Amino acid sequence: MFFNQEISKDAMEEFISLLEADEYLKGQSNGGHDFGGEHKRESTFDHYYLTFGEGTLLELTFRESEFKGYEEISREPIKECGVSCKMYISEEDLVFQTSYEYGFPMLKMNQGENEIFSSPTLKNDYSQCNGRKVNEVLSPISPETLIERFYEKKQQEVKKQTK
C-alpha cells in the first residue's frame, strides 16, 4: 500500500495505542547493516499485524535507523524513522505458521498451501498462533473504529487542557 513514509516514533506509538491487545501482534527484527568503511547503518524494525476481517491481514513495519560516519553532514549520528504498509487479501483463510530458521523464530503467513510472507522476529514467541487462522488469533478492527478512537482520545486531551 505504501513504502517507507516518514513518521516519528511518538506518532507510531500514538497510533498503536489506539489498538486493543487482541487486535494486533507485534514482532521485532534487527536489520543492522554495515556499509563498510566509516559509513554504518543500524536499523530495527517493529512489525505489527492487524486484520479488518476474514481473509485480510495488514502488516505495518516501523523502521528506526541510525547512520554513523557521515561527519560531513552531521557530527551526531543521523536518525530516521519510517513506516511501510502491506495488505494481504485472500478468498481463502489466511493461516499463521511459525518456525525457527536462520537462528530466529519466524512468523509466516500462508494462503492455502502457498506462503505469502515470512518475517524473522526477535524476543517474540508466536507458537500460540501456529496453524491458526488470522481471525482466530486477532480481533478485527475497522478503519472507522480507529478514527472514532482517535477522535475520542483527542477530545479527552482537549478537555484536560481546558481544565
Side-chain angles (χ1 to χ4, degrees):
M1 293 176 60
F2 57 85
F3 179 72
N4 205 22
Q5 298 294 311
E6 285 187 42
I7 188 171
S8 70
K9 184 173 184 161
D10 291 341
M12 188 67 188
E13 288 174 354
E14 184 171 345
F15 172 75
I16 296 302
S17 75
L18 298 174
L19 300 169
E20 302 292 330
D22 65 341
E23 293 173 336
Y24 72 99
L25 289 178
K26 179 183 178 186
Q28 296 172 310
S29 60
N30 183 350
H33 200 76
D34 185 354
F35 290 128
E38 298 174 7
H39 298 130
K40 302 200 182 316
R41 178 188 76 197
E42 293 181 15
S43 297
T44 57
F45 299 88
D46 291 337
H47 306 278
Y48 298 92
Y49 304 101
L50 306 96
T51 185
F52 293 140
E54 199 168 312
T56 66
L57 183 75
L58 189 69
E59 178 186 19
L60 294 170
T61 302
F62 175 70
R63 174 193 50 83
E64 290 183 275
S65 296
E66 185 173 280
F67 298 86
K68 298 177 183 176
Y70 294 87
E71 281 73 21
E72 65 275 8
I73 299 171
S74 172
R75 289 184 185 185
E76 297 295 318
I78 301 166
K79 297 182 180 185
E80 287 184 349
C81 295
V83 66
S84 298
C85 178
K86 295 178 186 173
M87 185 171 204
Y88 304 94
I89 301 173
S90 171
E91 301 225 354
E92 298 178 46
D93 286 324
L94 297 171
V95 177
F96 287 115
Q97 295 295 322
T98 59
S99 64
Y100 197 84
E101 298 173 22
Y102 314 110
F104 296 102
M106 299 287 283
L107 179 65
K108 298 179 179 188
M109 176 61 55
N110 288 353
Q111 177 184 22
E113 298 294 318
N114 300 319
E115 181 179 308
I116 298 173
F117 75 86
S118 63
S119 177
T121 62
L122 301 174
K123 307 178 207 170
N124 298 87
D125 175 16
Y126 291 120
S127 58
Q128 78 280 3
C129 302
N130 193 35
R132 295 179 65 199
K133 297 175 185 176
V134 170
N135 63 341
E136 293 173 341
V137 175
L138 298 172
S139 296
I141 182 77
S142 71
E144 295 81 13
T145 300
L146 286 172
I147 291 168
E148 287 172 17
R149 289 179 186 173
F150 180 75
Y151 181 71
E152 288 171 12
K153 185 175 183 178
K154 290 302 173 191
Q155 281 185 319
Q156 291 172 0
E157 289 173 10
V158 168
K159 284 181 185 177
K160 286 180 185 177
Q161 290 175 353
T162 58
K163 284 186 179 182

